Amino acid sequence: MYEDQSKELALLQERLGKGEFDRSKTRVVHFKRNPEAMAVEKAQESRCSALQAENTALKGHLHKVEGQSAAAGSVDVAVKEAQITVLQHQVADLEKAKTRLSQVFKAQIEGFREACYQMFGYQVDVVAEAAAVKAGKAAAVSLYTLTPQHADDATAKLQFRMNREGKMQLVKSPYVQNRLSKEVETFIDR
């Protein structure tokens, strides 16, 4: 019997340890002035009062800064507007100079191309490499095409490519291989 009661006691203690209880026989008592709830409430009140004090200090600082900036604000705005106007005029002047330089360079290049055509009988066309244009390197010219003035064939063109070392290389084409193979071998390949 003692063993039966000790087993039953152990079973009940195990069930109680797991949180099982009989609701009809068990009552839970709640304290009206729970110490834990009082501690939480006290911490919340102290945090609230600290935040209110910080808020008051920040409002005072804001009013102080607004008072100072109100007097200096109108002067600062006028100065900034004047600076913006001056910078806009400078940008407009620089854009005019850029446009004029582009026009002058274009005219000089056209004059040079026309002079080469008249003196040597070849029209010079310069084409930028597609990869260089995509990379934003407009100055990276890679292909020069020479078209004869009195060409009897539309494919009668000489094309030269500038390699990375800055040397010119003749681009092989049917015209070069068929009609100028001996000249290329004599003057260029050697």
Side-chain angles (χ1 to χ4, degrees):
M1 175 133 159
Y2 177 73
E3 291 179 3
D4 290 339
Q5 287 180 350
S6 63
K7 287 182 183 177
E8 185 179 346
L9 178 63
L11 178 66
L12 289 175
Q13 284 178 346
E14 182 180 340
R15 287 176 55 194
L16 183 62
K18 290 182 181 177
E20 290 184 28
F21 59 92
D22 186 7
R23 293 184 187 272
S24 63
K25 296 179 183 176
T26 307
R27 291 185 53 144
V28 177
V29 179
H30 293 283
F31 290 114
K32 189 173 184 178
R33 309 268 301 152
N34 187 349
E36 182 184 3
M38 289 174 56
V40 169
E41 185 178 331
K42 190 174 184 180
Q44 286 177 344
E45 286 176 4
S46 67
R47 176 78 176 138
C48 184
S49 63
L51 288 173
Q52 285 176 346
E54 183 180 357
N55 189 20
T56 305
L58 288 173
K59 282 182 181 179
H61 184 66
L62 179 64
H63 288 299
K64 182 180 171 185
V65 169
E66 283 178 348
Q68 292 174 352
S69 66
S74 60
V75 174
D76 285 345
V77 170
V79 169
K80 297 293 183 192
E81 288 177 355
Q83 288 175 344
I84 289 172
T85 304
V86 168
L87 290 174
Q88 285 174 340
H89 286 295
Q90 287 177 349
V91 167
D93 291 342
L94 291 172
E95 286 177 355
K96 281 183 196 175
K98 178 183 171 188
T99 304
R100 289 179 188 150
L101 283 174
S102 294
Q103 291 170 348
V104 168
F105 284 140
K106 187 174 184 177
Q108 290 293 325
I109 290 170
E110 288 300 319
F112 176 75
R113 290 180 67 215
E114 183 63 30
C116 287
Y117 185 67
Q118 294 297 323
M119 289 189 299
F120 304 114
Y122 284 94
Q123 178 179 343
V124 179
D125 293 315
V126 181
V127 179
E129 188 177 357
V133 172
K134 285 181 184 176
K137 298 177 182 177
V141 176
S142 65
L143 191 64
Y144 297 88
T145 304
L146 302 176
T147 308
Q149 186 175 15
H150 303 290
D152 56 344
D153 186 9
T155 62
K157 296 179 180 181
L158 297 174
Q159 291 185 326
F160 293 90
R161 183 179 310 277
M162 186 178 290
N163 63 16
R164 291 186 178 161
E165 292 84 32
K167 295 181 181 179
M168 299 300 283
Q169 294 177 332
L170 181 67
V171 176
K172 301 291 182 186
S173 67
Y175 175 73
V176 171
Q177 290 176 343
N178 295 336
R179 296 189 60 193
L180 300 174
S181 61
K182 290 182 182 178
E183 288 86 351
V184 167
E185 184 180 315
T186 303
F187 297 110
I188 296 177
D189 288 341
R190 286 189 177 177

